[in-house]
Amino acid sequence: MNAPTVLQPGLLLVLSAPSGAGKTTLAHRLLKETPDAVFSISVTTRRPRGKEREGVDYRFVDVATFQQKIERGEFVEWAEVHGHFYGSPQSAVDEARARRGSAIFDIDVQGGQAIKRKHPDAVTIFVLPPSMEELERRLRDRQTDSDETIRRRMLAARSEMERGIASYDYIVVNDDFERAYSELRAVVVAEHCRRGRVDVSKLGLGVGG
Ligand code: 5GP
């Protein structure tokens, strides 16, 4: 039998998907309905888009500031995506551990895999669009990206999906938002009930919790 993964306090939830699959909307709903959860606000060198707000959607910094943060060890993982840098703050992990609560990471597959290597008890969930046609339609509906950007994102999406399907713990297909959300919620509820995450100490049994 494989040795079970050692569970540390807190639940690190990694949500990945190609952009346009609807993962950010799912993540925000999950955040609203999971009282112990906080959203890991990534640091990025890309510019704000549309209604994005500093310190809410991302922390927007210049490349020099990002480099400093790497050197100071402020990221649990960082990566270059579509020509910009993105990093997840180590503080999101530390705070979730300290609070024994959940941290939600809305990041790409390379970031999710890096977190899983460092924290094998992290739970990785990949959100898929119902089809490639639907994904392209959703990207075009945003009307913020040029044709060239959309072509690049579609190519990146294909490889992201292949890597996510091959390595993530759970897959949720976002064809219908309410159904996809209920699946995501079911995964989170089940993970909260995982042996080792439930506090059984009050029972005074000879096993931990
Ligand atoms: P966008 O620029 O569309 O907001 O994000 C582009 C991609 O970068 C998305 O797949 C998003 O999940 C990913 N991303 C956002 N923050 C991070 C992060 O902190 N680390 C990594 N590895 N990817 C991130």
Side-chain angles (χ1 to χ4, degrees), residues 167-179:
S167 65
Y168 269 38
D169 298 322
Y170 296 96
I171 308 287
V172 169
V173 179
N174 189 8
D175 48 0
D176 172 80
F177 180 82
E178 287 303 325
R179 204 190 48 77

Side-chain angles (χ1 to χ4, degrees), residues 23 42 46 49 58 77 79 86-88 106-108 111 153:
K23 109 190 120 159
S42 292
R46 87 149 160 76
R49 260 201 312 250
Y58 283 106
E77 65 77 34
Y86 295 81
S88 305
D106 176 349
I107 62 177
D108 76 344
R153 288 195 170 221

Side-chain angles (χ1 to χ4, degrees), residues 15-20 23-24 40-44 46-47 49 52 57-58 66 75 77-82 84-89 105-112 142 145 153 160:
L15 219 55
S16 301
S19 41
K23 109 190 120 159
T24 302
S40 165
I41 300 165
S42 292
V43 179
T44 184
R46 87 149 160 76
R47 304 214 164 186
R49 260 201 312 250
E52 287 179 335
D57 303 284
Y58 283 106
F66 196 92
F75 296 126
E77 65 77 34
W78 65 269
E80 192 178 343
V81 186
H82 310 309
H84 302 289
F85 293 109
Y86 295 81
S88 305
F105 297 85
D106 176 349
I107 62 177
D108 76 344
V109 169
Q110 54 182 328
R142 285 180 172 185
D145 295 322
R153 288 195 170 221
E160 182 86 346

Side-chain angles (χ1 to χ4, degrees), residues 10 13 15 23 27 31 44 53 64 71 84 91-92 96 102 111 115 121 137 154 156-157 183 187 195:
L13 285 170
L15 219 55
K23 109 190 120 159
L31 186 67
T44 184
R53 278 177 301 155
E71 283 156 25
H84 302 289
S91 59
S102 306
I115 289 186
D121 63 336
R137 197 185 62 72
M154 284 302 293
E183 289 184 3
V187 167
R195 176 161 51 87

